[in-house]
Amino acid sequence: MFIGNHDSVVYTILFFFLFKYLKIVFFLSETVFTLLFRRLGRTLVLLLIVALVGLYFISKETGVHNMVKAFSLENKGQIKVAEMSDQITDYSKLTFTSCMFPDNNPFDPEVMKVAGLDKPTLLCNSALPDLTYLKENKLIVNKTKIKERFPTFNVTCKYQDITRQNDRDRSFAFSEFRKPFQESMELPSETEYILVLCEGTRNLNDNSSSQFNSSSKEKSKPEVLSRTYFAFIPKLDNLNEIEELLLRKRFVESSPSENMSVIMIGYDSVSRYHFMRAMNRTYDFLVNDLLSFDMIMHSQVGKNVMKGKKFGNEGRSAQETYQWWSDKKNADPFDHLWKDFERAGYRTFFSEDNPGIGAFNYLTPGFFKTPATHYSKSITFAIEQDELIRNASSHCIGNQPEVLFHLEYLKSFLDKFPRKPLYALLFFTRISHDDITMLRIIDDHVYSFFKKLKDSGHLNNTMMITFSDHGPRYGPIRHSHMGDVENRNPLLIFTLPTWFLHKYPDVAGNLKTNTGRLTSQYDIHATVRDLLYFRSTGDNPLPKTRHGMSLFQEVPRNRTCQDASVSEEFCLCNYQNFITVLPNSSIAHQVANKVVEAMNARLDHAKCESLKLHNVSEVYVLKVLNKLFKLVKTVFRIKVETVPGNGVFDATVHVEGISDWESWEQLSITHLNNVTVAEGLDRLNRYSGQSDCVSDPKIQLICYCKGLLKAKKL
């Protein structure tokens, strides 16, 4: 990790004020310390005190900079912790921030039991082998594999294009099959997405096919032997001229100091802790080999991938956006990051693995116009509906891991334009959305891909951001107290070229410092835009960022969740100061009833049963203080179970107007007058089949449809 000298300057200033303060104290208390000062001298005593304080902070700093060597695999399913330090919160301790995240151990034995780290690396073996492969723009039939697998067949292959239709994300079409081939086929330069089908007819004269020998006149019907999808990056030379003009315009009018590419690779529902656990080879490579910056105190801004990535990508909050937009509208009007880059002459790329529940398609129409120059939605929808390809495994596309299909597609984009500035966004949902323990099975694949990027030089002029939208929302980890933290602490890692860090040591120092400061997803948006017009000496055409700040600048020590546009329900600042409340206490049940009341107020009672409190499993209470350390509000975090349906929910409850309190036993129903149940409510268990009678996703979360109880009794 790049280490700057910022902290030593801070300590010097701190010691200076401490010295002045102590002089005043000693002056006022001289009658008490007269004998001591006469014997040792006032200055000597002050110097000794300052020296002791300095040694204390130096010892703390030494522990901080023993960076995690991460974790190396000894055997499959086993993790060796090489050098573990208290990296989780040491940066915040070192830099004395007003926001302190909880000091938890991501390798807590109870969590490790359910983290799924014994899962083997994903391998894909479809019943239909791949009988063709690519060499540049040529499809080649694999004769060796045909001889091994289908020695008695005459094999012919053909392909069809997959294209987007009717200006809709979900609409695609297959072309007619192109001319069959048995050796190879040169593809047109504009080819983008294709399905290759290989069929075979048995050689009836072959003595090895005894089942057919009895009837030599019988005709053999073609059998499908192989189905393989390929994604290409066409050069689209017609765009070159306009891109070059836009690049020239940017340099003439704005004169940015650098012209770097941006790669953003995201994972749904992955906390920072779980990435360290499940993707330990990848994490180790990022932090130790690529000297990346791991943003320890990173906060989510939205409940799900749609809000976390859509609004974080645009730089607006959900509340601001819903003033003019609704989920029934298309996503074209958003001010997406890639639009800024396209207007600056960059070639753009956007791909997702799960098209149905992607950031811009879940319960929304998606895009009318293709949002990026290279956009994979048509082929991903085609693959999604191909039962022959999808039956084997939900994480495989035929014989290839789905994550590798998309990573290789990204690499082909980088390979195609080695000298162009590029912007790429790739987001994985399927692998971790429903079960975060599945992340383990792709660690080796992602590690190998990142190593390829480094070895090929693709990272030499690129800022790469590895991120997630939020932590786990379901499963055993989410049910634990650790899950409360992980849900709100998504992954964020910045990787920049070494030459850039040496050329701009202030940026490197700020990034290092910011690893221990409060950050949010809005800061990603601000940082990426900052790079586009990095230290421009001319005009910057981008409007001012609504939320967040560039992490190339130092995040203030006293930054609060409110400053970072992180709502209270996602705020982890001072979370370690939560006080446990007995779940069976009177105040716990009173708060729980407030939550159930709020849930019932949101329900459509014509369709949904009224909910009742069944159980309170966990309650925490926290004082929220302002910058002057005065009580602003009291916050409860509570887990409740309701019936019917046995839904388990995690809720945040704000209580204002309470005077300061010392213990939760002092709180009673009289304090619960000014209560707000935060709108964001997490459901911690599955509800499939319980809420099909409503379409609003917020209502689906809590609704138990009328009629289900009668059906159960029958």
Side-chain angles (χ1 to χ4, degrees):
M1 186 74 74
F2 191 96
I3 306 297
N5 61 0
H6 171 81
D7 293 319
S8 61
V9 175
V10 173
Y11 296 152
T12 303
I13 297 171
L14 179 64
F15 293 159
F16 173 79
F17 284 109
L18 182 63
F19 185 91
K20 301 289 284 185
Y21 173 73
L22 288 173
K23 284 185 69 177
I24 295 170
V25 171
F26 286 146
F27 179 79
L28 295 175
S29 310
E30 191 165 12
T31 56
V32 179
F33 297 104
T34 300
L35 181 60
L36 179 64
F37 279 13
R38 282 177 180 174
R39 291 192 175 185
L40 298 179
R42 181 183 302 179
T43 304
L44 180 58
V45 172
L46 290 174
L47 288 174
L48 283 172
I49 292 172
V50 171
L52 288 172
V53 174
L55 285 171
Y56 171 76
F57 286 124
I58 289 170
S59 66
K60 295 291 285 183
E61 183 176 9
T62 302
V64 170
H65 293 312
N66 284 332
M67 298 304 297
V68 176
K69 291 290 186 184
F71 324 101
S72 56
L73 286 176
E74 285 185 324
N75 300 298
K76 280 191 180 290
Q78 294 183 335
I79 292 181
K80 176 183 178 183
V81 180
E83 279 187 27
M84 272 205 62
S85 70
D86 292 331
Q87 188 188 4
I88 314 315
T89 55
D90 267 353
Y91 279 112
S92 58
K93 292 174 184 175
L94 171 65
T95 53
F96 307 103
T97 60
S98 58
C99 175
M100 301 279 284
F101 269 31
D103 192 4
N104 291 333
N105 177 14
F107 302 96
D108 181 276
E110 292 304 311
V111 173
M112 294 292 277
K113 289 177 184 177
V114 294
L117 302 187
D118 57 343
K119 285 182 166 58
T121 298
L122 175 64
L123 299 175
C124 297
N125 294 295
S126 169
L128 298 176
D130 296 325
L131 298 182
T132 55
Y133 62 92
L134 289 174
K135 189 172 182 180
E136 295 179 351
N137 252 45
K138 182 180 286 188
L139 272 174
I140 301 175
V141 176
N142 192 330
K143 294 285 189 178
T144 302
K145 188 171 285 189
I146 290 174
K147 189 174 181 180
E148 290 173 356
R149 297 290 302 270
F150 306 106
T152 64
F153 281 80
N154 292 319
V155 178
T156 299
C157 298
K158 54 188 177 181
Y159 79 91
Q160 51 188 163
D161 293 290
I162 305 167
T163 54
R164 193 171 188 263
Q165 295 289 302
N166 304 321
D167 292 329
R168 295 291 189 277
D169 271 351
R170 297 174 185 272
S171 180
F172 67 92
F174 288 100
S175 70
E176 295 293 329
F177 278 107
R178 308 301 183 189
K179 182 180 178 181
F181 59 97
Q182 291 187 314
E183 300 288 340
S184 65
M185 170 66 73
E186 191 80 27
L187 298 173
S189 60
E190 67 273 13
T191 301
E192 191 164 20
Y193 308 119
I194 63 172
L195 166 64
V196 180
L197 181 71
C198 292
E199 296 177 319
T201 54
R202 292 182 182 271
N203 186 349
L204 300 184
N205 295 323
D206 195 310
N207 293 329
S208 61
S209 303
S210 57
Q211 58 182 323
F212 293 98
N213 288 343
S214 60
S215 179
S216 59
K217 293 183 180 181
E218 182 181 350
K219 291 185 179 180
S220 173
K221 294 181 179 179
E223 298 180 31
V224 175
L225 307 180
S226 175
R227 290 174 68 87
T228 308
Y229 287 87
F230 292 100
F232 298 85
I233 299 291
K235 279 192 173 182
L236 304 178
D237 291 333
N238 57 310
L239 297 180
N240 287 338
E241 183 178 350
I242 184 64
E243 288 171 346
E244 289 171 5
L245 286 172
L246 289 171
L247 281 171
R248 193 179 307 166
K249 177 185 178 185
R250 171 167 156 261
F251 276 104
V252 169
E253 295 182 353
S254 303
S255 301
S257 296
E258 302 298 343
N259 193 38
M260 294 174 62
S261 294
V262 175
I263 299 173
M264 299 179 67
I265 301 178
Y267 303 86
D268 194 350
S269 305
V270 177
S271 68
R272 174 179 175 266
Y273 282 175
H274 194 64
F275 192 83
M276 294 170 68
R277 285 189 296 259
M279 302 279 281
N280 61 290
R281 288 192 77 194
T282 303
Y283 179 82
D284 178 46
F285 186 75
L286 287 169
V287 171
N288 294 320
D289 288 71
L290 298 181
L291 303 179
S292 303
F293 298 89
D294 175 13
M295 298 296 155
I296 294 169
M297 295 171 57
H298 187 56
S299 293
Q300 72 180 103
V301 298
K303 271 291 178 192
N304 51 38
V305 61
M306 183 188 75
K307 291 181 180 177
K309 186 157 72 68
K310 181 184 293 183
F311 302 129
N313 179 279
E314 199 205 19
R316 285 192 179 97
S317 69
Q319 292 78 8
E320 291 166 342
T321 302
Y322 281 122
Q323 290 177 8
W324 59 269
W325 185 82
S326 73
D327 292 329
K328 295 181 180 179
K329 304 296 182 182
N330 66 75
D332 296 68
F334 283 100
D335 296 324
H336 302 287
L337 272 173
W338 55 71
K339 288 185 177 180
D340 294 330
F341 281 81
E342 278 191 348
R343 285 190 287 264
Y346 279 58
R347 185 67 64 93
T348 58
F349 169 103
F350 176 34
S351 187
E352 293 180 288
D353 62 337
N354 194 335
I357 62 171
F360 305 99
N361 297 95
Y362 179 60
L363 302 176
T364 67
F367 295 96
F368 284 176
K369 297 180 180 178
T370 303
T373 314
H374 303 279
Y375 180 57
S376 65
K377 198 65 70 174
S378 56
I379 191 171
T380 53
F381 269 116
I383 292 169
E384 197 74 6
Q385 297 178 24
D386 192 331
E387 294 182 358
L388 288 174
I389 293 297
R390 276 293 179 201
N391 275 350
S393 167
S394 62
H395 299 301
C396 294
I397 297 177
N399 298 285
Q400 187 177 25
E402 184 172 45
V403 65
L404 268 188
F405 180 89
H406 289 277
L407 289 173
E408 289 299 327
Y409 179 47
L410 170 59
K411 187 173 182 298
S412 64
F413 173 66
L414 303 176
D415 289 339
K416 185 71 73 172
F417 308 109
R419 286 177 292 277
K420 273 183 179 290
L422 308 172
Y423 174 88
L425 172 59
L426 173 57
F427 197 81
F428 293 109
T429 298
R430 196 191 314 272
I431 193 66
S432 52
H433 181 271
D434 293 342
D435 182 1
I436 62 167
T437 67
M438 296 304 292
L439 197 69
R440 179 64 174 166
I441 68 178
I442 65 168
D443 183 28
D444 288 342
H445 296 305
V446 178
Y447 160 76
S448 298
F449 172 75
F450 281 162
K451 193 171 183 305
K452 262 196 249 181
L453 285 190
K454 179 187 177 185
D455 294 343
S456 63
H458 286 311
L459 299 180
N460 290 347
N461 195 46
T462 298
M463 178 171 73
M464 183 169 70
I465 302 174
T466 309
F467 71 102
S468 62
D469 53 347
H470 53 76
R473 298 176 62 199
Y474 314 107
I477 292 177
R478 180 64 185 90
H479 278 271
S480 67
H481 176 55
M482 187 91 144
D484 291 339
V485 176
E486 296 207 24
N487 179 44
R488 295 165 171 86
N489 183 205
L491 167 74
L492 178 60
I493 297 177
F494 284 90
T495 306
L496 287 128
T498 304
W499 66 262
F500 181 87
L501 301 178
H502 286 292
K503 185 175 179 180
Y504 303 103
D506 57 324
V507 171
N510 289 337
L511 283 167
K512 176 259 170 182
T513 297
N514 292 342
T515 59
R517 302 281 173 87
L518 177 63
T519 62
S520 82
Q521 289 160 326
Y522 295 122
D523 298 331
I524 304 175
H525 179 266
T527 306
V528 173
R529 293 168 96 239
D530 190 10
L531 184 67
L532 181 57
Y533 288 92
F534 184 70
R535 298 193 174 173
S536 297
T537 57
D539 296 331
N540 184 338
L542 300 178
K544 185 178 179 180
T545 303
R546 293 169 178 264
H547 304 281
M549 61 174 289
S550 170
L551 297 181
F552 292 160
Q553 309 299 319
E554 182 183 344
V555 172
R557 295 173 180 279
N558 62 348
R559 193 185 202 192
T560 64
C561 284
Q562 186 176 3
D563 297 332
S565 300
V566 176
S567 64
E568 201 65 52
E569 64 180 298
F570 303 130
C571 183
L572 284 175
C573 290
N574 305 315
Y575 196 90
Q576 70 269 36
N577 295 329
F578 263 98
I579 299 169
T580 302
V581 178
L582 292 178
N584 61 353
S585 65
S586 173
I587 189 67
H589 277 261
Q590 289 159 6
V591 173
N593 282 321
K594 293 286 186 182
V595 172
V596 178
E597 285 176 21
M599 292 168 66
N600 279 321
R602 299 174 192 175
L603 285 174
D604 180 350
H605 289 280
K607 298 179 180 178
C608 307
E609 298 279 359
S610 293
L611 300 176
K612 295 179 181 179
L613 179 64
H614 179 64
N615 184 44
V616 181
S617 59
E618 196 172 72
V619 189
Y620 300 96
V621 64
L622 170 71
K623 295 180 181 181
V624 178
L625 307 178
N626 61 19
K627 293 181 181 180
L628 298 176
F629 300 100
K630 290 185 178 180
L631 182 67
V632 176
K633 67 173 72 171
T634 299
V635 174
F636 287 90
R637 292 246 167 93
I638 185 167
K639 288 187 176 71
V640 301
E641 182 181 354
T642 61
V643 289
N646 298 102
V648 180
F649 301 93
D650 179 42
T652 301
V653 180
H654 303 161
V655 185
E656 300 187 36
I658 303 180
S659 58
D660 208 350
W661 49 271
E662 295 301 325
S663 66
W664 65 265
E665 288 90 345
Q666 295 176 284
L667 302 175
S668 66
I669 188 65
T670 59
H671 295 107
L672 301 182
N673 293 323
N674 193 2
V675 173
T676 304
V677 178
E679 186 173 340
L681 191 74
D682 267 347
R683 176 142 184 181
L684 307 186
N685 58 350
R686 299 285 176 189
Y687 51 94
S688 177
Q690 292 188 2
S691 54
D692 294 343
C693 58
V694 293
S695 57
D696 186 330
K698 293 180 182 178
I699 307 301
Q700 283 182 337
L701 200 70
I702 57 178
C703 176
Y704 188 85
C705 293
K706 288 187 172 181
L708 291 179
L709 288 175
K710 291 181 180 179
K712 276 193 172 184
K713 290 177 181 178
L714 294 175

